[in-house]
Amino acid sequence: MLRIETNRYAQQFFENVGPANRSTTLTWKKTTIKELRAFITVLLEMGITRRPTFFSYWSRNHRYIPWFGQMFSRNRFQLLYQFFHTVDNSTLPARDNNEYDPTAKFEPVVARANRKFKFHYSPNQHLSVDESLVGTKSRSALTQYLHK
């Protein structure tokens, strides 16, 4: 699913927009399942080990993570990051459409994760669920309002 949609989005990009003459997108080649697994692994590690920029994860000036470069180059990572997709954009309704759903782009990933979580984890009777809100200045259509 991820491999197909990522490669499809890259193809749509080249058909509709096309790369600039000196752009690194000219080096794009179709991705594989193995490469996408490595890409997701690096993304997860980036969430744990914070650096100021993408480039600093490959820089030897910081305490770099050597296996990042062993998996793929910084430029290849950027290309995967640019074209990574989970659904076909052409099947989604436009933002001005009444049927537009802002979560549709990542819904397949969430649905698959939920299926896997249900399969591998069964909560017992001592489960506690708590809700908390964290202030943010980001813009999102997915906001929650709690009336006082």
Side-chain angles (χ1 to χ4, degrees):
M1 169 182 80
L2 296 177
R3 177 186 56 85
I4 292 168
E5 295 306 333
T6 299
N7 289 328
R8 181 193 327 258
Y9 181 69
Q11 181 181 356
Q12 289 170 347
F13 173 85
F14 290 118
E15 289 171 359
N16 297 330
V17 178
N21 290 339
R22 299 183 62 141
S23 173
T24 57
T25 57
L26 291 171
T27 63
W28 172 260
K29 64 181 190 326
K30 288 187 174 186
T31 189
T32 63
I33 293 172
K34 184 178 178 181
E35 187 178 47
L36 282 174
R37 285 182 179 160
F39 173 74
I40 292 170
T41 301
V42 168
L43 282 179
L44 292 172
E45 179 62 32
M46 286 177 153
I48 296 168
T49 308
R50 297 291 188 158
R51 299 281 191 273
T53 64
F54 278 157
F55 301 115
S56 61
Y57 287 95
W58 280 266
S59 171
R60 295 191 186 255
N61 295 337
H62 291 64
R63 292 177 304 191
Y64 78 105
I65 304 169
W67 57 269
F68 275 30
Q70 293 169 1
M71 294 181 121
F72 33 68
S73 70
R74 179 188 68 203
N75 289 344
R76 181 62 180 169
F77 177 83
Q78 279 189 292
L79 283 172
L80 288 169
Y81 189 80
Q82 178 180 354
F83 294 128
F84 183 72
H85 264 65
T86 61
V87 295
D88 183 4
N89 282 348
S90 64
T91 63
L92 299 176
R95 286 184 182 226
D96 56 353
N97 189 322
N98 288 338
E99 295 179 15
Y100 173 73
D101 179 10
T103 65
K105 286 195 174 194
F106 56 86
E107 192 278 328
V109 174
V110 172
R112 180 172 169 91
N114 284 337
R115 283 193 307 274
K116 289 293 185 181
F117 294 156
K118 284 179 185 176
F119 179 78
H120 291 289
Y121 177 71
S122 296
N124 59 30
Q125 63 185 358
H126 301 294
L127 179 68
S128 175
V129 178
D130 186 21
E131 179 183 308
S132 64
L133 297 175
V134 177
T136 181
K137 293 183 179 181
S138 67
R139 296 178 185 211
S140 173
L142 306 173
T143 56
Q144 183 175 6
Y145 175 73
L146 295 178
H147 185 68
K148 290 184 179 184

